[in-house]
Amino acid sequence: MLCERGPDANNEALKRFSQDLARGYIGDRLLSEGTRATYYRHVRGFLNWLSDNAFEIETGCITHPEAFADDDGRRRAVRQYRDAELVEHGLAESTVSGMLRALDLFYSWLGFTTRLSVPRPKPGKRPLEILDRQQYSAVLRSAASRSERDIALAALILDVGPTVNQLVALGPADLRLDPIHNTGQLCCRRSDGEPVWRPLRPGTVTVQRRWLQRRSQLLGGRQVSALFLNLNDQPTALTSRGLHFVVQEIGAQEGLVISPRTLRNTARGRIPDTELDSETLADLPGPQPTTPPPAPEPAEQVRRRHWRNPAIAPPPQPELDLGPDTR
């Protein structure tokens, strides 16, 4: 079992598995170069997920408690990984099937004799591929009603169309806004790190200014390198998973199933003559502040009268000496 090899068991297993993949054979199976690269990527993602969802047990092994214990345990681990990392991101069934084949080969390489039997997830409602004009308007209205961050995020994707990795890697310095004119640019870095500056439309610039002001208030002098933050008491950088969740919630408010890819595809299509294009984003209503309920009016004070028991005679009053009667 990998658990007996210590905390670095996952890294060691991945290294040895990669070495065997480089030879072209796993057991008696001959794999093409493309298949080897795909299988390695799936196994690496699975082992990284195990490390991120780990806890330390008595042996000092930091790994998923069931992934390498028995057949039932590894099925549960693979099912949890599939649901957490793949299905919720809306990937194709072919990708899920390829992941299962890669992990089946990996477990066979480890010495497990029975094949994985993980039931396929029930087909759910897939995210929209692209927004039409009405849905485009609904998404912008929903984002504007939620927060300055959400409308800035949605407008940026619908305007420029950056990828999820590019969005979570953005910093405030990657957003150049002209202090005089309502123009700006966004730096989207390619996979090789080469910066590409893309112009922003006026409405997008307006909502970015609002978000930068709100961001400064949330941080209160703290330094966070990410442009987009989680909206909590101690704001941190918005992760890719958090970005997917935010976009899903924006769509759910209008009854739409969307993902960041939906907004990215819509940006590429550039819906013509959209009445809620980014030039009019400034006219959208912002998030409504929650007003506390009015304080209840004070109850009228009831005057209490002193009650005296008639059965008890009052104490005798002392006679007053008024002096001699002069009448």
Side-chain angles (χ1 to χ4, degrees):
M1 285 174 51
L2 288 182
C3 189
E4 297 174 355
R5 302 180 190 173
D8 295 329
N10 291 346
N11 294 333
E12 182 65 22
L14 182 62
K15 179 180 178 181
R16 296 184 183 182
F17 183 69
S18 174
Q19 292 172 350
D20 286 357
L21 278 178
R23 301 187 183 98
Y25 284 88
I26 294 293
D28 57 351
R29 293 186 57 181
L30 176 62
L31 305 176
S32 66
E33 182 177 356
T35 301
R36 296 199 301 268
T38 302
Y39 281 15
Y40 174 78
R41 185 176 69 251
H42 284 312
V43 171
R44 182 185 59 187
F46 177 62
L47 294 179
N48 289 340
W49 179 82
L50 292 180
S51 299
D52 293 340
N53 294 269
F55 64 91
E56 187 170 357
I57 58 179
E58 294 178 357
T59 60
C61 171
I62 302 179
T63 184
H64 195 282
E66 300 175 324
F68 308 108
D70 51 29
D71 290 339
D72 292 337
R74 63 193 177 110
R75 289 192 189 100
R76 283 192 294 270
V78 172
R79 185 184 299 114
Q80 292 171 12
Y81 169 67
R82 180 203 64 194
D83 294 342
E85 297 296 324
L86 297 177
V87 176
E88 70 178 14
H89 291 168
L91 297 186
E93 283 290 327
S94 58
T95 303
V96 178
S97 300
M99 181 269 291
L100 294 178
R101 288 194 299 269
L103 296 183
D104 207 351
L105 182 65
F106 175 66
Y107 273 112
S108 175
W109 174 80
L110 287 175
F112 288 83
T113 56
T114 57
R115 296 176 61 86
L116 282 170
S117 176
V118 180
R120 292 180 179 271
K122 295 180 180 179
K125 195 171 182 180
R126 298 294 298 273
L128 296 170
E129 292 294 330
I130 192 171
L131 301 176
D132 59 25
R133 188 172 306 175
Q134 184 177 2
Q135 294 165 344
Y136 180 92
S137 303
V139 167
L140 288 179
R141 284 196 305 268
S142 174
S145 66
R146 288 171 55 86
S147 67
E148 294 86 354
R149 180 206 61 185
D150 290 0
I151 184 58
L153 191 60
L156 203 61
I157 304 177
L158 288 170
D159 189 356
V160 181
T163 65
V164 172
N165 291 335
Q166 289 173 337
L167 277 169
V168 297
L170 288 176
D174 296 322
L175 194 61
R176 291 181 180 175
L177 305 181
D178 193 294
I180 301 177
H181 304 92
N182 204 23
T183 58
Q185 291 180 312
L186 180 71
C187 178
C188 294
R189 287 178 172 78
R190 298 173 179 171
S191 57
D192 58 358
E194 185 69 20
V196 178
W197 289 92
R198 298 177 181 176
L200 301 176
R201 289 183 279 183
T204 308
V205 174
T206 299
V207 294
Q208 301 310 312
R209 293 189 197 277
R210 293 178 181 175
W211 163 238
L212 289 178
Q213 294 176 358
R214 179 58 179 158
R215 180 181 181 276
S216 178
Q217 295 173 359
L218 290 173
L219 291 177
R222 295 174 56 241
Q223 296 296 325
V224 177
S225 59
L227 175 61
F228 292 105
L229 311 173
N230 293 305
L231 302 181
N232 47 33
D233 294 337
Q234 295 292 329
T236 56
L238 187 67
T239 63
S240 58
R241 182 178 297 182
L243 175 61
H244 277 88
F245 178 77
V246 169
V247 174
Q248 289 172 3
E249 289 297 304
I250 291 174
Q253 190 164 307
E254 292 291 334
L256 301 174
V257 180
I258 61 174
S259 68
R261 182 178 297 179
T262 306
L263 305 186
R264 178 174 165 82
N265 293 341
T266 305
R268 293 176 177 176
R270 288 280 183 166
I271 301 176
D273 302 329
T274 307
E275 63 181 44
L276 283 179
D277 208 345
S278 63
E279 282 80 357
T280 59
L281 283 173
D283 299 331
L284 288 173
Q288 300 298 322
T290 56
T291 57
E297 296 182 359
E300 183 180 358
Q301 295 291 337
V302 179
R303 295 184 61 184
R304 295 184 178 181
R305 296 182 177 179
H306 180 69
W307 179 81
R308 177 177 296 173
N309 191 344
I312 302 176
Q317 299 293 330
E319 296 183 359
L320 299 178
D321 185 8
L322 301 178
D325 188 1
T326 57
R327 292 179 296 174

